[in-house]
Amino acid sequence: MQEFLQLVVSGISTGAIFASLALALVLIYNAMGLVNFAQGEMAMFATFIAYTLVNAGMSFWIAFPVTMVLAFGGGILIQRVVIRPVERAPVLTLVIITLGLATLVNGVAGFLWGYVPRSFASPFSPDSVDLGGVFISYRDLGVIAVSGLVLLAIYLLLQHTTVGLTLRAAAHHPEASRLLGVHVSWMLALGWGLASAVGAVSGMMVAPILLLEPNMMQTIIIYAFAAAVLGGIESPLGAVVGGLLVGVTVNLAGAYIPNAGDLQLAFGLGIIILVLILKPNGLFGRAATRRV
Amino acid sequence: MTALLELENVRAGYGSTSVLHGVSLSVLEGQVVSLLGANGAGKTTTLRAITGGVRWTGDIRFAGRSLRRTGTEDVVRRGIAHVPEGRGICTELTVDENLKLGSHLRRDKAEVAKDYDRVFEYFPVLKERRRLSASTLSGGEQQMLALARALLMRPRLMLLDEPSLGLAPIVVRSIFEIIRSINQTSDVAVLLVEQNARIALDLSSSAYVLEVGRVAVHGASAELQDNESVRRSYLGY
Ligand SMILES: Nc1ncnc2c1ncn2[C@@H]1O[C@H](COP(=O)(O)OP(=O)(O)O)[C@@H](O)[C@H]1O
Ligand SMILES: [Mg+2]
């Protein structure tokens, strides 16, 4: 039982990382009707920036928000320069462009920092806290707390501010929003900025667990896809719940199914396929009905 | 009186299909003007041209300034509320959020609060349903929401595209009463597109009838109502 609880908590911690990246996917899905295949690479790139800042002597807790701001700006820049010119292109064009973007970002990171994995020091203590026989590591708690705060901030921004309202309106009803004076194109750029920043959080949280190298996010992004699809791809809340569910499930499966380690990724893909077959709208997705 | 909105020889279309072949019309400050015509005549396209939803040539001036090369968002910010065909309700959002989108650009908080009171006086049902998703509203209620949202924009001109469409006659009557009241109490000009010529002419002081992208008849609403041949050939009653 204790082991089970420990596994659940560390699953929630991993899940929080998936949730951040899944939320990034959902934000952009809502902004352009398509998942951004470069999301993981963008997060990796941001993490390298954080790494560089920390190596230059900056404290992690300063490098963290600085990186988020830079990632935010980078997301907006990518939307303006790369995505906006092809906004009205067919979906397949956009898919190829985001795939190309992924390759490009990966290549630039490799060029700048090389492919040798580097260790990224965790900002949290390696100790554990004993909660009645259940040992929970500060690292897990730290990841949960930081991700939780960021996700909460995004939630408050989207649901309780005017900017958040216009952003949601622009994403779901661009034509109607324009007629209400919403600068839709800028709102979509803002969506990209937010997605990029929240994705960066997942990278900075996962780097101390994995090793930092240009391909670091390539497995994480599969889990994030699974989480986003599970949550219903359009739902920010769904992405978070989906992320936590995938994190806990994968963690438990890894511990209790013999030799599952090699199969974990297949597990993530399995979740995607199962959800698409059994519940195509995901847990929180709305069935696409519209009143006339 | 000076014209608030002026269209001069406006041509517009979709891709290579041209729909408007030189439309000229004007709406005075505080005036209600009907834009009538058969299905497909180009009424919706005219409204879309004004708010930059289709490309146009000729000239469109609002409050003395040309709207040429002005994006939809900025046309709207100059003081035009456009309730489009289909009403443009954000069904993913709540009733309250839809209303907030109407007032989100305004900084005059006290006046906004007054306008909310007025809106809820006109449409008490919206107050009751504030927290519900706009998708749960009936057609008539959605039309009310669209009007309420337009009112909250405090526009100088409202463009209304067939507000009576698909609504029961009794609902239509009450909505037109409210449009009249909005026009009178806040001095908002209205360009009203309607299939239902009778009720539109009752409300407006001047009217234009479009026929395949051209103004076929133009005159005071009362004169059009009294002219039997115009009524027969263009207005269908
Ligand atoms: N999005 C569009 N693409 C192509 N043609 C259109 C489009 N919308 C309207 N039209 C055409 O333009 C003409 C005028 O349409 P519209 O302005 O909607 O007329 P009305 O509102 O008077 O019924 C019609 O022949 C219609 O088929
Ligand atoms: Mg029409």
Side-chain angles (χ1 to χ4, degrees), chain A residues 158-159 162 165-166 168-169 172-173 175-185 234 286 290-292, chain B residues 51 72-74 76-77 82 84 88 90-93 97 100-101 104-105 135-138 142 149 153:
Chain A
L158 287 178
Q159 295 295 329
T162 303
L165 174 62
T166 51
R168 284 182 292 138
H172 291 291
H173 307 279
E175 293 310 319
S177 300
R178 268 188 202 102
L179 289 178
L180 296 164
V182 176
H183 280 123
V184 170
S185 178
E234 283 191 4
R286 275 161 288 223
R290 211 148 259 163
R291 207 177 252 267
V292 266
Chain B
T51 50
T72 300
E73 299 95 323
D74 298 309
V76 167
R77 285 166 185 238
H82 180 170
C90 299
T91 48
E92 297 278 323
L93 306 178
E97 287 172 333
K100 278 208 188 98
L101 284 170
H104 80 280
L105 291 170
S135 64
T136 65
L137 299 183
S138 71
Q142 291 199 356
R149 197 175 60 180
M153 294 167 78

Side-chain angles (χ1 to χ4, degrees), chain B residues 3 5 22 34 39-40 46 50 71 103 122 137 149-151 185 207 217 235:
Chain B
L5 176 75
S34 293
N39 222 337
T46 305
I50 296 167
S103 62
Y122 285 140
L137 299 183
R149 197 175 60 180
L151 188 70
T185 48
V217 182
L235 306 179

Side-chain angles (χ1 to χ4, degrees), chain A residues 19-36 39 158 171-172 191 195 198 224 227-229 231-240:
Chain A
S20 305
L21 198 58
L23 177 61
L25 291 171
V26 166
L27 286 170
I28 289 187
Y29 184 88
N30 283 332
M32 73 169 182
L34 182 74
V35 287
N36 170 19
Q39 202 74 59
L158 287 178
H172 291 291
V198 69
V229 169
I233 196 69
E234 283 191 4
S235 161
L237 178 65
V240 173

